[in-house]
């Protein structure tokens, strides 16, 4: 065959002959003009590439539209360049750092003398739309290092990035009209492909993430394949803002933070009720399945953490102090303490499984920039359990742990997905044991019929794990529950039990958490329910409002009837208008508001307003008390 023709193979295995130097755009046009219009990016022999790069050898190709992962990634990358071009037109002296793709969008770091404000973002976005309308072609160009230095001679940030490119690596620049940028690509073929974006905010960011470097301005944006997807995302952000747990935590008097303890939550009375209810729920469930609750010290000797292996993996995130010339650490997790409890007594195979649980307060140092309300804190309560088993008991115990997790998440109305995380690069112990542990977890999930995905290399350093990802009311994913199989800590702590032959053998440890961090889980719950908790969980379950002072005697009678059934009830007897009291009770998202006047007193009834429902219903007092009592016992979810 002539050297001037190529064999091009398509994803379905079919082949076609094209002239050497053909581009993916040419191939798309040959198949269908509609395909050429839809194509955003392609791949040649598995490598993602621009549509306009010539193909010089036989190849397998693929074409991706905007709805594909490959397509939207390139759209977002190209929109970052679009942002930079718009900035350069408005602010010619701007210098540019990096502009990577992030979840749902992109950002670009810029060095600019003028501090940007939201109105400036509107001006930049307007310029971006103008450039889109110009439909400027985007070209890839290979340049020498000397040419690149000349192109970016007035941009110190780009010159610094250029210096990091290895000497043997090809240097590429992407040009779009009056703008060019140092970039590996790929990109869309023209700016007209970039229509569905919005700039979101500007913030500060140190150059290369180093606080010793200059502070740059970082502009964030989002970009999507369609106008509808962009609008849906903006609506999602509005809903997420309404549900923000930090805002609701303040409005509902749940928790606070103080500069005297950065990243460490203070729980107010209402928030503590929520915590107590969560602990009580899980404690009762664990008791049903023969878990033994224990408590271990907050602070233990440094040598314990060295023995456990946590020292090598966690020491940079631990808090230390000196006591009697010895180094102690606040515990970052509960595992080593439970190993010491197991080792404190002799055990027979007849004793196993031993299910040891603790609501243990742990401390981990997080960078201040990573702190995020209750979702990322420096001290939190971990609902840890460690189950000591024989090898033969592994499958049954993991199944039981999954049963507890499933029951819990059903109570809160969470859908969830399962992920099996395998051996990380910094694993501890013997590879053969790791292989056995991973196989054991796979067998459990497969035999029980659980769908799951593999997350390569994300296991704990001491063993593989099953992670549970819950989806909240607006479909955000959160990793909470975990089940981890551990052959390492029993070795580290020389744990043994006597088997049927009276021989000392090692137990296997299963680490298990349901909430994970109670604090983080509470933050997720606040946003999941939008602060409108199910009645069993709500800090105040009923608010009683008398129409006038003459009704206070009946108000007290109603309150006593509710308190007798352990319902959390409060009286609003302020000298305020009735309408204001009702509105404020609704703002606190109280499940039930009772209004009592002459009619209710005379009928021994209550007029009920349920949160989220404007209808008023009059019911006999005892009927209402019984209904609320049953709703709490059954842990019913709110109805829409």
């Amino acid at each position: 065959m002539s050297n001037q023709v190529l064999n091009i193979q398509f994803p379905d295995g079919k082949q076609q002959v094209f002239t050497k130097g053909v581009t993916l755009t040419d191939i798309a046009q040959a198949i269908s003009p509609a395909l050429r219009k839809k194509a955003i990016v392609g791949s040649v022999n598995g490598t993602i590439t621009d549509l306009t790069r010539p193909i010089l050898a036989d190849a397998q190709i693929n074409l991706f539209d905007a709805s594909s992962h490959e397509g939207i990634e390139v759209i977002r990358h190209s929109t970052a360049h679009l942002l930079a071009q718009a900035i350069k037109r408005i602010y010619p002296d701007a210098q540019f750092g990096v502009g990577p793709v992030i979840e749902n969008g992109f950002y670009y770091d810029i060095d600019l003398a003028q501090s940007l404000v939201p109105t400036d973002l509107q001006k930049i976005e307007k310029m971006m739309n103008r450039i889109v309308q110009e439909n400027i072609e985007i070209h890839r160009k290979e340049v020498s290092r000397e040419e690149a230095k000349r192109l970016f001679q007035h941009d110190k940030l780009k010159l610094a990035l250029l210096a990091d490119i290895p000497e043997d690596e090809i240097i590429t620049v992407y040009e779009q009209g009056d703008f060019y940028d140092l970039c590996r690509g790929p990109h869309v073929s023209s700016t007209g492909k970039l229509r569905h974006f919005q700039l979101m905010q500007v913030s500060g960011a140190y150059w290369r993430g180093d606080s010793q470097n200059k502070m740059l301005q970082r502009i964030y944006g989002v970009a999507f394949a369609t106008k509808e997807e962009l609008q849906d995302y903006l609506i999602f952000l509005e809903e997420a803002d309404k549900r923000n747990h930090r805002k609701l935590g303040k409005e509902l008097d749940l928790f606070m933070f103080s500069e005297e303890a950065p990243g460490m939550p203070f729980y107010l009375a209402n928030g503590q009720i929520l915590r107590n209810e969560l602990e009580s729920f899980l404690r009762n469930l664990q008791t049903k399945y023969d878990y033994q609750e224990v408590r271990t010290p907050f602070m233990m000797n440094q040598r314990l953490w060295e023995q456990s292996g946590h020292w090598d993996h966690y020491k940079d995130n631990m808090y230390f102090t000196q006591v009697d010339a010895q180094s102690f650490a606040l515990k970052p997790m509960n595992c080593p303490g439970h190993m010491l409890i197991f080792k404190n007594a002799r055990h027979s195979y007849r004793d196993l499984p031993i299910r040891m649980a603790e609501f243990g307060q742990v401390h981990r140092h997080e960078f201040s920039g990573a702190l995020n309300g209750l979702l990322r804190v420096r001290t939190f309560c971990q609902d840890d359990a460690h189950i000591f088993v024989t090898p033969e008991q592994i499958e049954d115990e993991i199944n039981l742990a999954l049963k507890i997790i499933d029951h819990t998440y059903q109570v809160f109305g969470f859908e969830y997905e399962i992920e099996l995380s395998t051996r990380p690069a910094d694993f501890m112990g013997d590879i053969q044991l790791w292989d056995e542990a991973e196989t054991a977890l796979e067998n459990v999930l497969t035999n029980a019929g659980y769908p799951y995905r593999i997350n390569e290399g994300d296991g704990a350093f001491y063993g593989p794990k099953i992670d549970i990802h819950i989806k909240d009311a607006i479909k955000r994913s959160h990793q909470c529950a975990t089940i981890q199989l551990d052959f390492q800590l029993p070795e580290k702590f020389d744990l043994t039990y006597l088997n049927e032959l009276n021989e000392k053998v090692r137990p296997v440890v299963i680490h298990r958490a349901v909430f994970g961090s109670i604090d983080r889980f509470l933050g997720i719950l606040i946003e999941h329910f939008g602060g409108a908790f199910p009645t069993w969980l709500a800090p105040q379950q009923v608010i009683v409002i008398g129409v006038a002072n003459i009704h206070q005697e009946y108000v007290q009678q109603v309150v006593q009837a509710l308190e007798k059934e352990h319902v959390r009830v409060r009286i609003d007897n302020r000298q305020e208008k009735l309408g204001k009291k009702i509105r404020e009770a609704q703002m606190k998202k109280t499940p039930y508001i009772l209004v009592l006047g002459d009619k209710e007193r005379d009928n021994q009834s209550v007029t009920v307003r349920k949160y989220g429902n404007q209808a008023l219903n009059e019911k006999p007092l005892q009927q209402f008390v019984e209904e609320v009592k049953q709703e709490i016992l059954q842990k019913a979810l709110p109805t829409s």
Side-chain angles (χ1 to χ4, degrees), residues 51-291:
L51 295 176
T52 54
R53 285 189 69 178
I55 303 172
L56 303 176
D58 294 347
Q60 294 178 323
I61 69 150
N62 208 339
L63 295 167
F64 303 102
D65 63 16
S67 66
S68 67
H69 170 75
E70 294 83 357
I72 194 60
E73 287 283 296
V74 169
I75 284 174
R76 287 169 177 159
H77 187 187
S78 297
T79 309
H81 279 225
L82 176 66
L83 166 63
Q85 183 176 15
I87 291 170
K88 194 68 175 176
R89 283 191 179 183
I90 300 170
Y91 309 103
D93 293 333
Q95 297 189 27
F96 297 90
V98 294
V101 172
I102 56 175
E103 185 178 11
N104 298 312
F106 57 92
Y107 69 77
Y108 220 123
D109 289 343
I110 63 171
D111 186 6
L112 185 64
Q114 174 182 335
S115 294
L116 298 175
V117 296
T119 53
D120 293 319
L121 296 189
Q122 295 171 18
K123 182 168 59 175
I124 295 168
E125 193 173 301
K126 186 176 180 180
M127 180 61 75
M128 291 171 71
N129 280 305
R130 184 184 302 172
I131 297 170
V132 169
Q133 293 303 315
E134 293 172 13
N135 196 23
I136 303 168
E137 290 187 356
I138 300 172
H139 299 286
R140 176 182 182 272
K141 182 179 179 182
E142 295 182 8
V143 298
S144 66
R145 190 170 296 270
E146 290 69 29
E147 186 176 357
K149 288 178 179 178
R150 180 182 59 78
L151 284 171
F152 298 105
Q153 60 184 308
H154 300 300
D155 193 327
K156 293 180 181 179
L157 301 180
K158 288 298 179 187
L159 289 176
L161 293 171
L162 179 63
D164 289 342
I165 298 177
E167 288 293 332
D168 59 349
E169 187 172 318
I170 294 173
I171 298 170
T172 55
V173 169
Y174 277 80
E175 296 179 332
Q176 49 195 70
D178 56 359
F179 178 76
Y180 49 87
D181 205 349
L182 183 69
C183 185
R184 292 188 178 92
H187 285 278
V188 298
S189 57
S190 72
T191 59
K193 302 275 189 183
L194 310 172
R195 296 183 177 275
H196 312 298
F197 58 84
Q198 183 166 314
L199 300 184
M200 304 303 293
Q201 64 176 9
V202 60
S203 64
Y206 290 111
W207 170 232
R208 292 181 161 173
D210 188 341
S211 60
Q212 301 301 312
N213 289 338
K214 185 175 184 178
M215 176 73 78
L216 305 179
Q217 297 184 76
R218 176 172 293 177
I219 299 177
Y220 288 94
V222 295
F224 292 89
T226 66
K227 180 180 179 180
E228 291 73 23
E229 287 176 318
L230 174 60
Q231 290 175 336
D232 287 346
Y233 181 72
L234 297 177
I235 291 169
F236 161 81
L237 289 182
E238 288 181 14
E239 184 62 28
D241 184 62
K242 292 177 189 174
R243 294 170 178 265
N244 186 292
H245 77 281
R246 288 167 294 185
K247 182 170 70 175
L248 289 172
K250 185 174 182 178
E251 292 174 0
L252 302 178
D253 300 317
L254 301 178
F255 60 88
M256 57 169 271
F257 287 91
S258 168
E259 292 182 0
E260 306 307 321
M264 302 183 183
F266 292 69
Y267 284 92
L268 308 179
N270 286 342
Q272 189 59 34
I273 290 172
L274 290 171
R275 281 184 58 114
N276 289 345
E277 286 291 342
L278 290 177
E279 284 193 26
S280 178
F281 166 80
L282 187 55
R283 180 176 285 116
N284 291 337
L285 186 58
Q286 290 179 158
T287 299
K288 177 181 175 182
Y289 292 108
D290 298 322
Y291 277 75

Side-chain angles (χ1 to χ4, degrees), residues 475-545:
K475 303 304 180 184
R476 292 172 300 186
S477 181
H478 310 270
Q479 192 275 307
C480 292
T482 187
I483 301 169
Q484 303 172 3
L485 198 53
D486 186 356
F487 292 93
Q488 310 302 330
L489 283 183
E491 289 283 344
K492 293 282 185 180
F493 285 89
D494 191 26
L495 304 185
T496 61
Y497 67 92
L498 296 176
N499 67 11
E500 297 92 330
L501 302 176
N502 212 34
E503 301 168 328
K504 286 186 175 182
V505 292
R506 298 265 185 252
V508 179
V509 171
I510 299 171
H511 303 247
R512 188 238 65 192
V514 178
F515 299 139
S517 154
I518 289 182
D519 308 71
R520 181 169 175 270
F521 192 77
L522 179 52
I524 294 168
L525 277 185
I526 294 169
E527 299 193 355
H528 178 59
F529 290 118
F533 302 106
T535 305
W536 72 271
L537 191 59
Q540 297 297 328
Q541 295 163 329
V542 180
I543 287 183
V544 183
I545 303 172

